[in-house]
Amino acid sequence: MAGSESRYRVYGIRHHGPGSARRLQAALVDYDPKLILLEAPADAQSIISDLLHPELELPVALVLYQEAAIDRASFLPFAEYSPEYQAILWAGQQQVPVQLIDLPAKHYLAKAPEPEPSLFTPKAVPDDDEVLAARMRRDPLLLAAEMAGYDDSERWWDTTLERTVGAEDTFDQLLQLIGDLRAAYPRAIDEETERREAHMRQCLRKALKSDAQRIAVVVGAWHGPALANLKPYSVGTDRARLKGLAKVKVASAWVPWSYPRLSRERAYGAGVVSPAYYELLFRSPAQCTERWMVAAAQLLREAGFDAGPAQATDGVALARSLAALRELELPGLEELHQAALSTLANGQAERLDLIREKLSLGTRVGKLPPTASTVPLMADLRAELKTTRLTKYWETSGEQYLRASKTKPRGGLDLRKSNQNRASQLLHRLNLLDIHWGSTQEVGPHTLGSFKEIWLLEWEPDFNLLLLERAAYGNTMAAATTAYVSGQAKDIKSLAKLAQLILDALRAGLSDLVPELLVNLRDRAVATQDPIGLLAGLPTLINTIKYGDSRKTDTSGLLLLIEEILPRLSANLSAATLNIDDDQAEEMAHAMGLAHQSLAYLEIEEMEQIWLDGLKSLIANRQVHDLCSGLAWRLLYDQQAIPEDEVERALSRSLSPGRPPQQVAFWIAGFLRASGQLLLYHTTLRTLLHDWVSSLSWPIFERVLPALRRSFSDFRPSERAELLSLIKVKPIGVSNGEAHQSAVGDRTKEQEALLVSLRDWMGEER
């Protein structure tokens, strides 16, 4: 542990190791250094003291990034049990300076990514020593673990060093072990490691020239031997390694981190697969088993499972027995999981999964103080959150309705109020940045129309990282969203998606972006040969005009575009419904219904007539899909665009016994689409439907039942109930006082079964 000079000591630690953190705490108290040299990029020196802010909550991450290319970045997470954090915390309490000594990020972020090897480049066959060296470069302690009987160095380190208590001489033993490994396998030290260690030694030499009498050097255990003895390394050689390194302009910031991300990213290669467990192990190493098992029992009880104190006691005993059988000083996570599965979880894997998620992985999310250094975009977002009174929702896990109250459990925004409209725009901007914090919900019948929005919020830790990536597009939410959407729009081929993007831009208050998006949309519309795509985009375009009207936004360009595309769309409507499968027909019918409804909103007679002409050309073609044909007949009937007797002839023809039942079922589904009233008051249709259903055999009826069921699924409950009463009380198609030869008593048993099924697929239980 002592250096080549008595003025400093080297402490080799494991990043995010609770055992290393505890031992380092004790070592610093015992040694009482007057200067701490810490392995972290030197160009983060100016903001490292932010970790001492009383409002900061761990875990957080230091991010260093290229100012010109923010996607080139490195993240250095800190948890409570990170030895580096404990060193900084101790230094702050004792007013001891901390100096960061690792190679600055401005150098390693300037290094270009290595190109992918060509498939045609012959691969050299490495010898056995090179294979081992390469493995050790990826996992320096692999050989030590294998010699101890482990196939994973993380399990070896965890078992040997993290779960053990005491052993104050561990730093000396570790330094000796790694020194022997480095001496035996020098090829395991790559060029990057040599540059980093050269920079650390240069910083150490400079520190030794200061007045500090006791210097603590805290570095990853693998680097310890390269600093503990400076004599084998000449100053000139170290300078030469650092001379002429490429560099870029680098900025630094803090971002909140989370336990799931700490586990997923495996920061520093430390293998933190159980951050919450490590937190408990750091805080209470001797009582870790008991506290973990009690917490597991409480967690299961809160979830509604039976898990009492007696089972927790049995779990502790079993975990200790397993540890003793495996010659372990303390039970580890494997022993805890096995014991909990047998006792608390009653052998149920899903219960153990809950324990793993909450007590092993954990859900903790860090928080930053307002004064913490961060990227401009994140600072602008925080200012917007404060202005719009959304701060309390940000970084709060779980689903919650915005502005919810006891009287209004779903909350809601009134967009006529300036600050609430600004909150809506902020949420829409985040969605446009693909940071989906909030989703709009259905408003309901008794609302303020287009001036009301209901938002369901659910925050995720990754949002802060996504913000960091989006910071490359601008320093404010408005600028970043505009640039990001502009770039995304260039790659969007779907007219519907482009139209939706225009509507979303208006909702986000980015009206300056609309003209550019309109140009993209017009270019796509002119070039497209996809009538379904045109049709799918039409309702959104009209909704955007509607939204613009309510906000006094100029959307005249959209109206001109609709005037351009509608004739082409109408002319190709019939062809678009030829040779399509059932799923495509459903998609087409859905788009037709929305387009018809949207065009009615515009109340432009010329446009309505163009659309109706397209529907007429569709019904004139007997080869189109029956779902679309039935819907077209129905839409024309609603608009009184064709005589009623012609509609009745089409009904009779389409439901004739000679047509395939599946085609008839689709035609009915289209004609009855979302209209129970039509069946209630159209006696001829009810009679035709009754006769057709009664004529089906049971196997055929079962085949067409799914299509028929869809016909009634959109009916209102009151409509279904009234139709059921008609079926029960009298034969379908028989008006009051009329006789009918197909009375209930005269029906065959098979017909009765069919009619019972008819009631069933209309919504009644048998």
Side-chain angles (χ1 to χ4, degrees), residues 622-640:
R622 301 290 179 85
Q623 304 302 315
V624 301
H625 196 284
D626 285 277
L627 182 68
C628 301
S629 176
L631 177 60
W633 276 102
R634 158 70 191 293
L635 297 177
L636 289 166
Y637 174 75
D638 285 349
Q639 293 295 112
Q640 299 181 348

Side-chain angles (χ1 to χ4, degrees), residues 397-412:
S397 59
E399 290 186 345
Q400 49 191 332
Y401 281 101
L402 178 58
R403 297 178 61 83
S405 64
K406 290 183 179 179
T407 56
K408 288 185 175 181
R410 296 175 74 232

Side-chain angles (χ1 to χ4, degrees), residues 137-393:
R137 285 195 288 270
R138 291 191 300 270
D139 189 353
L141 298 178
L142 176 66
L143 194 59
E146 289 179 346
M147 288 188 295
Y150 290 84
D151 57 3
D152 180 358
S153 66
E154 302 301 342
R155 288 185 61 238
W156 168 74
W157 185 291
D158 180 71
T159 302
T160 308
L161 297 170
E162 301 304 342
R163 279 187 260 157
T164 55
V165 295
E168 286 76 9
D169 61 345
T170 299
F171 288 114
D172 285 331
Q173 296 175 3
L174 195 57
L175 194 64
Q176 182 64 47
L177 170 64
I178 293 177
D180 292 343
L181 284 172
R182 289 174 62 116
Y185 299 95
R187 294 169 70 182
I189 305 169
D190 58 16
E191 292 183 7
E192 181 183 357
T193 299
E194 288 181 341
R195 283 193 294 269
R196 292 177 60 196
E197 291 174 352
H199 190 274
M200 294 183 203
R201 285 191 293 268
Q202 290 288 71
C203 292
L204 176 56
R205 293 183 181 108
K206 184 177 179 180
L208 289 171
K209 296 178 181 179
S210 69
D211 296 333
Q213 294 303 307
R214 292 185 301 279
I215 302 172
V217 183
V218 180
V219 294
W222 182 250
H223 303 300
L227 297 168
N229 184 6
L230 296 178
K231 291 180 180 178
Y233 307 96
S234 71
V235 175
T237 301
D238 284 344
R239 284 178 179 169
R241 283 200 176 100
L242 299 173
K243 186 177 180 181
L245 292 180
K247 60 183 178 180
V248 292
K249 194 171 183 180
V250 167
S252 56
W254 293 101
V255 293
W257 214 249
S258 68
Y259 276 180
R261 179 162 285 276
L262 188 63
S263 171
R264 185 165 65 249
E265 294 296 334
R266 297 177 66 88
Y268 285 109
V272 189
V273 295
S274 49
Y277 167 68
Y278 267 16
E279 177 187 302
L280 183 60
L281 185 61
F282 172 72
R283 293 180 176 180
S284 307
Q287 295 82 36
C288 181
T289 303
E290 292 87 345
R291 295 191 178 189
W292 190 93
M293 204 65 70
V294 167
Q298 292 174 341
L299 179 65
L300 291 176
R301 284 200 300 273
E302 290 171 1
F305 299 114
D306 182 23
Q311 291 167 292
T313 301
D314 291 342
V316 171
L318 180 55
R320 286 177 173 166
S321 297
L322 289 172
L325 287 172
R326 295 164 182 171
E327 298 181 350
L328 302 174
E329 183 175 336
L330 291 172
L333 204 55
E334 184 178 357
E335 290 73 36
L336 290 172
H337 284 165
Q338 290 174 348
L341 179 63
S342 299
T343 56
L344 294 173
N346 197 28
Q348 301 296 314
E350 66 273 11
R351 300 185 189 182
L352 183 61
D353 289 341
L354 177 63
I355 295 173
R356 280 197 181 102
E357 180 186 354
K358 300 295 184 181
L359 299 183
S360 301
L361 178 61
T363 58
R364 184 183 294 278
V365 177
K367 290 187 178 181
L368 295 174
T371 57
S373 303
T374 187
V375 293
L377 180 62
M378 193 171 289
D380 182 68
L381 172 64
R382 291 186 180 278
E384 284 292 308
L385 291 170
K386 184 177 181 180
T387 300
T388 55
R389 300 178 183 176
L390 296 179
T391 303
K392 66 178 180 179
Y393 300 100

Side-chain angles (χ1 to χ4, degrees), residues 674-744:
S675 178
Q677 293 292 319
L678 186 65
L679 191 57
L680 279 170
Y681 297 111
H682 203 297
T683 304
T684 302
L685 176 58
R686 289 207 313 275
T687 302
L688 289 169
L689 182 59
H690 163 264
D691 292 341
W692 178 72
V693 172
S694 298
S695 70
L696 298 176
S697 65
W698 184 261
I700 293 176
F701 181 79
E702 284 190 310
R703 288 203 300 270
V704 302
L705 185 58
L708 293 173
R709 191 187 300 275
R710 284 197 298 268
S711 304
F712 287 79
S713 62
D714 293 334
F715 290 5
R716 291 193 295 271
S718 60
E719 293 173 341
R720 289 201 298 268
E722 193 170 350
L723 284 169
L724 288 169
S725 68
L726 288 173
I727 294 174
K728 290 178 183 177
V729 173
K730 58 187 177 181
I732 300 177
V734 179
S735 58
N736 290 329
E738 290 185 286
H740 195 280
Q741 62 179 2
S742 297
V744 173

Side-chain angles (χ1 to χ4, degrees), residues 16 50 89 104 264 300 305 401 454 510 556 590 600 635 673 710 733:
H16 311 302
D50 287 345
L89 184 63
R264 185 165 65 249
L300 291 176
F305 299 114
Y401 281 101
I454 292 176
L510 303 175
S556 56
H590 179 71
L635 297 177
R673 199 172 185 89
R710 284 197 298 268

Side-chain angles (χ1 to χ4, degrees), residues 111-119 121:
K111 183 181 177 182
E114 294 184 5
E116 292 289 334
S118 170
L119 295 175
T121 302

